[in-house]
Coordinates of all heavy atoms in Angstrom, one line a residue:
M676 N 0.8 -1.2 0.0 CA 0.0 0.0 0.0 C 0.9 1.2 0.0 O 1.9 1.3 0.7 CB -0.8 0.0 1.2 CG -1.9 1.1 1.2 SD -2.8 1.2 2.8 CE -1.8 2.2 3.8
A677 N 0.5 2.2 -0.7 CA 1.1 3.5 -0.7 C 0.1 4.6 -0.3 O -1.1 4.4 -0.6 CB 1.7 3.9 -2.0
I678 N 0.5 5.6 0.3 CA -0.4 6.7 0.7 C -0.2 7.9 -0.1 O 0.9 8.4 -0.2 CB -0.3 7.0 2.2 CG1 -0.7 5.7 3.0 CG2 -1.1 8.2 2.6 CD1 -0.4 5.8 4.5
D679 N -1.3 8.5 -0.7 CA -1.1 9.6 -1.6 C -0.8 10.9 -0.7 O -1.7 11.3 0.1 CB -2.4 9.8 -2.4 CG -2.3 10.9 -3.4 OD1 -1.3 11.8 -3.2 OD2 -3.0 11.0 -4.4
P680 N 0.4 11.5 -0.7 CA 0.7 12.5 0.1 C -0.1 13.8 -0.2 O -0.2 14.7 0.6 CB 2.1 12.8 -0.1 CG 2.4 12.2 -1.4 CD 1.5 11.0 -1.6
E681 N -0.7 13.8 -1.4 CA -1.6 15.0 -1.7 C -3.0 14.9 -1.1 O -3.7 15.9 -1.0 CB -1.7 15.1 -3.3 CG -0.4 15.3 -4.0 CD 0.4 16.5 -3.5 OE1 -0.2 17.6 -3.2 OE2 1.6 16.4 -3.4
V682 N -3.3 13.7 -0.6 CA -4.7 13.5 -0.1 C -4.6 13.3 1.4 O -5.5 13.7 2.1 CB -5.3 12.2 -0.7 CG1 -6.7 11.9 -0.2 CG2 -5.5 12.4 -2.2
C683 N -3.5 12.7 1.9 CA -3.4 12.4 3.4 C -3.4 13.8 4.2 O -2.8 14.8 3.8 CB -2.0 11.8 3.6 SG -1.6 11.5 5.3
I684 N -4.1 13.7 5.2 CA -4.2 14.9 6.1 C -3.4 14.8 7.4 O -3.6 15.5 8.4 CB -5.7 15.3 6.5 CG1 -6.3 14.0 7.2 CG2 -6.5 15.7 5.2 CD1 -7.7 14.4 7.8
N685 N -2.6 13.7 7.4 CA -1.7 13.5 8.5 C -2.4 13.3 9.9 O -2.0 13.8 10.9 CB -0.6 14.6 8.6 CG 0.3 14.6 7.5 OD1 0.7 13.6 7.0 ND2 0.6 15.8 7.0
C686 N -3.5 12.6 9.9 CA -4.2 12.4 11.1 C -3.6 11.3 12.0 O -4.0 11.2 13.1 CB -5.7 12.1 10.8 SG -5.9 10.4 10.0
S687 N -2.9 10.4 11.4 CA -2.2 9.3 12.0 C -3.1 8.1 12.5 O -2.6 7.3 13.2 CB -1.4 9.8 13.3 OG -0.4 10.8 12.9
I688 N -4.3 8.2 12.1 CA -5.2 7.0 12.4 C -4.6 5.7 11.8 O -4.6 4.7 12.5 CB -6.6 7.3 12.0 CG1 -7.2 8.4 12.9 CG2 -7.5 6.0 12.0 CD1 -8.6 8.8 12.4
C689 N -4.1 5.8 10.6 CA -3.6 4.5 10.0 C -2.4 4.0 10.7 O -2.3 2.8 10.8 CB -3.3 4.7 8.5 SG -2.1 6.1 8.2
E690 N -1.6 4.9 11.3 CA -0.4 4.5 12.1 C -0.9 3.7 13.3 O -0.4 2.7 13.7 CB 0.4 5.7 12.6 CG 1.2 6.3 11.5 CD 2.1 7.4 12.2 OE1 2.9 7.1 12.9 OE2 1.7 8.6 11.9
M691 N -1.9 4.2 13.9 CA -2.5 3.6 15.2 C -3.2 2.3 14.9 O -3.1 1.4 15.8 CB -3.4 4.5 15.8 CG -2.8 5.8 16.4 SD -3.9 6.8 17.3 CE -4.7 7.7 16.0
I692 N -3.7 2.1 13.7 CA -4.5 0.8 13.6 C -3.8 -0.2 12.7 O -4.2 -1.3 12.7 CB -5.9 1.1 12.9 CG1 -5.8 1.7 11.6 CG2 -6.7 2.0 13.9 CD1 -7.1 1.7 10.8
C693 N -2.6 0.1 12.1 CA -2.0 -0.9 11.4 C -1.5 -2.0 12.3 O -0.7 -1.8 13.2 CB -0.7 -0.2 10.6 SG 0.2 -1.5 9.7
P694 N -1.8 -3.3 12.0 CA -1.6 -4.4 12.9 C -0.1 -4.8 12.9 O 0.3 -5.5 13.9 CB -2.4 -5.5 12.4 CG -2.7 -5.2 11.0 CD -2.7 -3.7 10.9
V695 N 0.7 -4.3 12.0 CA 2.1 -4.7 11.9 C 3.0 -3.5 12.0 O 4.2 -3.6 11.7 CB 2.4 -5.5 10.7 CG1 1.8 -6.9 10.8 CG2 2.1 -4.9 9.4
A696 N 2.4 -2.3 12.4 CA 3.2 -1.1 12.5 C 4.0 -0.7 11.3 O 5.2 -0.3 11.3 CB 4.1 -1.1 13.8
A697 N 3.4 -0.9 10.1 CA 4.1 -0.7 8.9 C 4.0 0.8 8.4 O 4.6 1.1 7.4 CB 3.5 -1.7 7.8
I698 N 3.2 1.5 9.1 CA 3.0 2.9 8.6 C 3.6 3.9 9.6 O 3.3 3.8 10.8 CB 1.5 3.2 8.4 CG1 0.8 2.2 7.4 CG2 1.2 4.6 8.0 CD1 -0.7 2.3 7.3
K699 N 4.4 4.8 9.1 CA 5.0 5.9 9.9 C 4.9 7.1 9.3 O 5.0 7.3 8.1 CB 6.6 5.6 10.1 CG 7.0 4.5 11.0 CD 8.5 4.5 11.1 CE 9.0 3.5 12.0 NZ 10.5 3.5 12.1
S700 N 4.7 8.2 10.2 CA 4.7 9.5 9.6 C 6.1 9.9 9.0 O 7.0 9.4 9.6 CB 4.3 10.5 10.7 OG 4.6 11.8 10.4
E701 N 6.1 10.6 8.0 CA 7.4 11.0 7.4 C 8.2 11.8 8.4 O 9.4 11.9 8.4 CB 7.2 11.8 6.1 CG 6.5 13.1 6.3 CD 6.3 13.8 5.0 OE1 7.3 14.0 4.2 OE2 5.2 14.1 4.6
Y702 N 7.5 12.4 9.4 CA 8.2 13.3 10.4 C 8.9 12.4 11.4 O 9.7 12.9 12.2 CB 7.2 14.2 11.1 CG 6.5 15.1 10.1 CD1 5.1 14.9 9.8 CD2 7.1 16.0 9.4 CE1 4.5 15.6 8.9 CE2 6.5 16.8 8.4 CZ 5.2 16.6 8.2 OH 4.5 17.4 7.2
D703 N 8.6 11.1 11.5 CA 9.2 10.2 12.5 C 10.2 9.2 11.9 O 10.7 8.4 12.6 CB 8.0 9.4 13.2 CG 7.1 10.2 13.9 OD1 7.5 11.3 14.4 OD2 5.9 9.8 14.0
L704 N 10.5 9.4 10.6 CA 11.4 8.5 9.9 C 12.9 8.9 10.4 O 13.3 10.0 10.5 CB 11.3 8.7 8.4 CG 10.1 8.3 7.8 CD1 10.1 8.5 6.3 CD2 9.7 6.8 8.0
K705 N 13.7 7.8 10.6 CA 15.1 7.9 10.8 C 15.7 8.3 9.5 O 15.2 8.1 8.4 CB 15.7 6.6 11.3 CG 15.1 6.0 12.5 CD 15.6 4.6 12.8 CE 14.8 3.9 13.9 NZ 15.1 2.5 13.9
D706 N 17.0 8.8 9.6 CA 17.7 9.2 8.4 C 17.7 8.0 7.4 O 17.6 8.2 6.2 CB 19.1 9.7 8.7 CG 19.1 11.0 9.4 OD1 18.1 11.7 9.3 OD2 20.2 11.4 9.9
S707 N 17.9 6.8 7.9 CA 18.0 5.6 7.1 C 16.8 5.2 6.4 O 16.7 4.4 5.5 CB 18.6 4.5 7.8 OG 17.8 4.1 8.9
E708 N 15.6 5.8 6.8 CA 14.3 5.5 6.3 C 13.8 6.6 5.3 O 12.7 6.4 4.9 CB 13.3 5.3 7.5 CG 13.7 4.1 8.4 CD 12.8 4.1 9.7 OE1 12.5 5.2 10.1 OE2 12.6 3.0 10.1
Q709 N 14.5 7.7 5.2 CA 14.0 8.8 4.4 C 13.7 8.4 3.0 O 12.8 9.0 2.3 CB 15.1 9.9 4.4 CG 15.2 10.6 5.8 CD 13.9 11.3 6.2 OE1 13.2 11.9 5.4 NE2 13.6 11.2 7.5
Q710 N 14.3 7.4 2.5 CA 14.1 6.9 1.1 C 12.6 6.6 0.9 O 12.1 6.7 -0.2 CB 15.0 5.8 0.7 CG 14.7 4.5 1.6 CD 15.5 3.3 1.3 OE1 15.7 3.0 0.2 NE2 15.9 2.6 2.3
F711 N 11.9 6.2 2.0 CA 10.6 5.7 1.8 C 9.6 6.8 1.5 O 8.5 6.5 0.9 CB 10.1 4.9 3.1 CG 10.9 3.7 3.3 CD1 11.8 3.5 4.3 CD2 10.7 2.6 2.4 CE1 12.6 2.3 4.4 CE2 11.4 1.4 2.5 CZ 12.3 1.3 3.5
T712 N 9.9 8.1 1.9 CA 9.0 9.1 1.5 C 8.9 9.3 0.0 O 7.8 9.4 -0.5 CB 9.5 10.5 2.1 OG1 9.6 10.3 3.5 CG2 8.6 11.6 1.8
E713 N 10.0 9.2 -0.7 CA 9.9 9.4 -2.1 C 9.4 8.1 -2.8 O 8.6 8.2 -3.8 CB 11.4 9.6 -2.7 CG 11.4 9.8 -4.2 CD 10.4 10.9 -4.7 OE1 10.1 11.9 -4.0 OE2 9.9 10.6 -5.8
I714 N 9.8 6.9 -2.3 CA 9.2 5.7 -2.8 C 7.7 5.7 -2.7 O 6.9 5.4 -3.6 CB 9.8 4.4 -2.1 CG1 11.2 4.3 -2.5 CG2 9.0 3.2 -2.5 CD1 12.0 3.2 -1.6
N715 N 7.2 6.1 -1.5 CA 5.7 6.2 -1.3 C 5.1 7.1 -2.2 O 4.1 6.8 -2.9 CB 5.4 6.6 0.1 CG 3.9 6.8 0.3 OD1 3.2 5.8 0.4 ND2 3.5 8.0 0.4
R716 N 5.7 8.3 -2.4 CA 5.1 9.3 -3.3 C 5.0 8.8 -4.8 O 4.0 8.9 -5.4 CB 6.0 10.6 -3.3 CG 5.5 11.7 -4.2 CD 6.4 13.0 -4.1 NE 6.6 13.4 -2.8 CZ 5.7 14.2 -2.1 NH1 4.7 14.6 -2.7 NH2 6.0 14.6 -0.9
R717 N 6.0 8.2 -5.2 CA 6.1 7.6 -6.6 C 5.0 6.5 -6.8 O 4.3 6.5 -7.7 CB 7.5 7.1 -6.9 CG 7.6 6.5 -8.3 CD 9.1 6.2 -8.7 NE 9.9 5.6 -7.7 CZ 9.8 4.3 -7.3 NH1 9.1 3.5 -8.0 NH2 10.6 3.9 -6.4
L718 N 5.0 5.6 -5.8 CA 4.1 4.5 -5.9 C 2.6 4.9 -5.8 O 1.7 4.3 -6.4 CB 4.3 3.4 -4.8 CG 5.7 2.7 -5.1 CD1 6.0 1.7 -3.9 CD2 5.8 2.0 -6.4
A719 N 2.3 5.9 -5.0 CA 1.0 6.4 -4.8 C 0.5 7.0 -6.2 O -0.7 6.9 -6.4 CB 0.9 7.5 -3.8
N720 N 1.3 7.4 -7.0 CA 0.9 7.9 -8.3 C 1.0 6.8 -9.4 O 0.6 7.1 -10.5 CB 1.8 9.0 -8.8 CG 1.6 10.3 -7.9 OD1 0.5 10.6 -7.6 ND2 2.7 11.0 -7.6
T721 N 1.4 5.6 -9.0 CA 1.5 4.5 -9.9 C 0.5 3.4 -9.7 O -0.2 2.8 -10.6 CB 2.9 4.0 -9.9 OG1 3.8 5.0 -10.1 CG2 3.1 2.9 -11.0
W722 N 0.4 3.0 -8.4 CA -0.4 1.9 -8.0 C -1.9 2.3 -8.1 O -2.3 3.4 -7.8 CB -0.1 1.4 -6.6 CG 1.2 0.6 -6.5 CD1 2.0 0.3 -7.6 CD2 1.8 0.2 -5.4 NE1 3.1 -0.4 -7.1 CE2 3.0 -0.5 -5.8 CE3 1.6 0.3 -4.1 CZ2 3.9 -1.0 -4.9 CZ3 2.4 -0.3 -3.1 CH2 3.6 -1.0 -3.5
P723 N -2.8 1.2 -8.3 CA -4.2 1.6 -8.4 C -4.8 2.0 -7.0 O -4.3 1.5 -6.0 CB -4.9 0.3 -8.8 CG -3.9 -0.8 -8.5 CD -2.5 -0.2 -8.6
A724 N -5.8 2.9 -7.0 CA -6.4 3.3 -5.7 C -7.2 2.2 -5.2 O -7.8 1.4 -5.9 CB -7.2 4.5 -6.1
V725 N -7.1 2.0 -3.9 CA -7.9 1.1 -3.1 C -9.1 1.9 -2.4 O -8.8 2.8 -1.7 CB -7.1 0.3 -2.0 CG1 -7.9 -0.5 -1.2 CG2 -6.0 -0.4 -2.7
N726 N -10.3 1.6 -2.8 CA -11.4 2.3 -2.3 C -12.3 1.5 -1.3 O -13.3 2.0 -0.9 CB -12.3 2.9 -3.5 CG -11.5 3.8 -4.3 OD1 -10.8 4.7 -3.8 ND2 -11.5 3.7 -5.6
V727 N -11.9 0.2 -1.2 CA -12.8 -0.7 -0.3 C -11.8 -1.4 0.6 O -10.6 -1.7 0.3 CB -13.6 -1.7 -1.1 CG1 -14.7 -0.9 -1.9 CG2 -12.8 -2.5 -2.0
G728 N -12.3 -1.8 1.8 CA -11.4 -2.6 2.7 C -12.0 -4.0 2.7 O -13.1 -4.2 3.3
D729 N -11.2 -4.9 2.2 CA -11.6 -6.3 2.2 C -10.8 -7.1 3.2 O -10.8 -8.3 3.1 CB -11.6 -6.9 0.8 CG -12.6 -6.4 -0.2 OD1 -13.7 -6.0 0.3 OD2 -12.4 -6.4 -1.4
G730 N -10.1 -6.4 4.1 CA -9.3 -7.2 5.0 C -7.9 -7.5 4.4 O -7.7 -7.0 3.3
P731 N -7.1 -8.1 5.2 CA -5.7 -8.3 4.7 C -5.6 -9.2 3.5 O -6.5 -10.0 3.3 CB -5.0 -9.0 5.8 CG -5.9 -8.9 7.0 CD -7.3 -8.6 6.4
L732 N -4.6 -9.0 2.6 CA -4.4 -9.9 1.5 C -4.0 -11.3 2.0 O -3.5 -11.4 3.2 CB -3.3 -9.4 0.6 CG -3.6 -8.0 -0.1 CD1 -2.4 -7.5 -0.8 CD2 -4.8 -8.2 -1.1
P733 N -4.3 -12.3 1.2 CA -4.0 -13.6 1.7 C -2.5 -13.9 2.1 O -2.2 -14.7 3.0 CB -4.3 -14.5 0.5 CG -5.2 -13.8 -0.4 CD -4.9 -12.3 -0.1
E734 N -1.6 -13.1 1.5 CA -0.2 -13.3 1.8 C 0.3 -12.4 2.8 O 1.5 -12.2 3.2 CB 0.7 -13.1 0.5 CG 0.6 -11.9 -0.2 CD -0.6 -11.7 -1.2 OE1 -1.6 -12.4 -1.0 OE2 -0.4 -10.9 -2.1
A735 N -0.6 -11.7 3.5 CA -0.1 -10.6 4.5 C 0.7 -11.2 5.6 O 1.7 -10.5 6.0 CB -1.3 -9.9 5.1
D736 N 0.4 -12.3 6.2 CA 1.1 -12.8 7.3 C 2.6 -13.2 6.9 O 3.5 -12.9 7.6 CB 0.5 -14.1 7.8 CG -0.7 -13.7 8.7 OD1 -0.8 -12.6 9.2 OD2 -1.6 -14.7 9.0
A737 N 2.7 -13.7 5.7 CA 4.1 -14.1 5.2 C 4.9 -12.8 5.0 O 6.1 -12.8 5.3 CB 4.0 -14.8 3.9
W738 N 4.4 -11.7 4.5 CA 5.1 -10.5 4.3 C 5.3 -9.7 5.5 O 6.3 -8.9 5.7 CB 4.3 -9.6 3.3 CG 4.5 -10.1 1.9 CD1 3.6 -10.7 1.1 CD2 5.7 -9.9 1.0 NE1 4.1 -11.0 -0.1 CE2 5.4 -10.5 -0.2 CE3 6.9 -9.3 1.3 CZ2 6.3 -10.5 -1.2 CZ3 7.8 -9.3 0.2 CH2 7.5 -9.9 -1.0
S739 N 4.5 -9.9 6.6 CA 4.6 -9.0 7.8 C 5.9 -9.2 8.5 O 6.4 -8.3 9.1 CB 3.4 -9.3 8.7 OG 3.5 -10.5 9.3
S740 N 6.5 -10.4 8.5 CA 7.8 -10.6 9.2 C 9.0 -10.6 8.3 O 10.1 -10.7 8.7 CB 7.7 -11.9 9.9 OG 7.5 -13.0 9.0
R741 N 8.7 -10.3 7.0 CA 9.9 -10.4 6.0 C 10.7 -9.1 6.1 O 10.2 -8.0 6.2 CB 9.4 -10.5 4.6 CG 10.4 -10.9 3.6 CD 9.8 -11.5 2.4 NE 10.9 -11.8 1.4 CZ 10.7 -12.6 0.4 NH1 9.5 -13.1 0.2 NH2 11.7 -12.8 -0.3
R742 N 12.0 -9.1 6.1 CA 12.9 -8.0 6.2 C 13.3 -7.6 4.8 O 13.3 -8.3 3.9 CB 14.1 -8.3 7.0 CG 13.8 -8.9 8.4 CD 13.3 -8.0 9.4 NE 14.3 -6.9 9.6 CZ 14.0 -5.8 10.4 NH1 12.8 -5.7 10.9 NH2 14.9 -4.9 10.6
N743 N 13.7 -6.3 4.7 CA 14.3 -5.8 3.4 C 13.4 -6.0 2.2 O 13.8 -6.4 1.2 CB 15.7 -6.4 3.1 CG 16.7 -6.2 4.3 OD1 16.8 -5.1 4.8 ND2 17.3 -7.3 4.6
K744 N 12.2 -5.5 2.4 CA 11.2 -5.6 1.3 C 11.3 -4.6 0.3 O 10.7 -4.7 -0.8 CB 9.8 -5.5 1.9 CG 9.5 -6.8 2.8 CD 8.1 -6.7 3.4 CE 8.2 -6.0 4.7 NZ 7.1 -6.2 5.5
V745 N 12.1 -3.6 0.5 CA 12.2 -2.5 -0.4 C 12.6 -2.9 -1.8 O 12.2 -2.3 -2.8 CB 13.1 -1.3 0.1 CG1 14.5 -1.8 0.1 CG2 13.0 -0.1 -0.7
E746 N 13.5 -4.0 -1.9 CA 13.9 -4.5 -3.2 C 12.7 -5.0 -4.1 O 12.8 -5.0 -5.3 CB 14.9 -5.5 -3.1 CG 14.3 -6.8 -2.4 CD 15.4 -7.8 -2.1 OE1 16.1 -7.8 -1.0 OE2 15.6 -8.7 -3.0
F747 N 11.6 -5.3 -3.5 CA 10.5 -5.7 -4.3 C 9.6 -4.6 -4.7 O 8.6 -4.8 -5.5 CB 9.7 -6.7 -3.3 CG 10.4 -7.9 -3.0 CD1 11.0 -8.1 -1.7 CD2 10.5 -9.0 -3.9 CE1 11.7 -9.2 -1.4 CE2 11.3 -10.1 -3.6 CZ 11.9 -10.2 -2.3
L748 N 9.9 -3.4 -4.3 CA 9.0 -2.2 -4.8 C 9.5 -1.6 -6.0 O 8.8 -0.9 -6.7 CB 9.1 -1.2 -3.6 CG 8.5 -1.6 -2.3 CD1 8.7 -0.4 -1.3 CD2 7.0 -1.9 -2.4
E749 N 10.7 -1.9 -6.5 CA 11.3 -1.3 -7.7 C 10.8 -2.0 -8.9 O 10.4 -3.1 -9.0 CB 12.8 -1.2 -7.6 CG 13.2 -0.5 -6.4 CD 12.8 1.0 -6.3 OE1 12.6 1.5 -7.4 OE2 12.6 1.4 -5.2
Ligands
SF4_1311 S1 -5.5 7.7 8.0 FE1 -3.3 7.7 7.4 S2 -3.4 8.0 5.2 FE2 -5.4 8.5 5.9 S3 -5.3 10.7 6.2 FE3 -4.8 9.8 8.2 S4 -2.6 9.7 8.2 FE4 -3.3 10.1 6.1

């Protein structure tokens, strides 16, 4: 999932409810995580919009504990 920074109002609700703490405010990113702001911005303009919540994808549990996932975003 990517969050459209032009639409997000920085309410932080998604940070609070994400079950795997995968969402962080760009203001809370460490220097080593700054790359994700630009990756998110680019993907938000590329990936299709999700307008319904159907629950987690079938592979969510497998991905939730996987490290170094950024290589799969390019
Ligand atoms: S829930 Fe998350 S993505 Fe939606 S407006 Fe709030 S901070 Fe932005």
Side-chain angles (χ1 to χ4, degrees):
M676 184 183 90
I678 296 171
D679 186 340
E681 301 301 323
V682 177
C683 175
I684 59 170
N685 295 318
C686 69
S687 300
I688 290 175
C689 57
E690 286 183 71
M691 291 185 277
I692 64 171
C693 179
V695 293
I698 302 171
K699 283 186 181 181
S700 167
E701 65 182 306
Y702 305 110
D703 296 331
L704 295 176
K705 300 173 192 167
D706 287 345
S707 61
E708 298 170 325
Q709 291 297 322
Q710 63 178 320
F711 293 110
T712 300
E713 182 51 35
I714 291 171
N715 175 75
R716 180 180 305 279
R717 180 169 43 80
L718 295 178
N720 291 321
T721 305
W722 286 354
V725 176
N726 297 314
V727 294
D729 288 336
L732 295 173
E734 62 272 27
D736 284 342
W738 282 102
S739 68
S740 59
R741 193 163 182 165
R742 309 287 298 171
N743 302 317
K744 291 177 273 197
V745 69
E746 66 187 85
F747 297 99
L748 296 174
E749 302 301 330

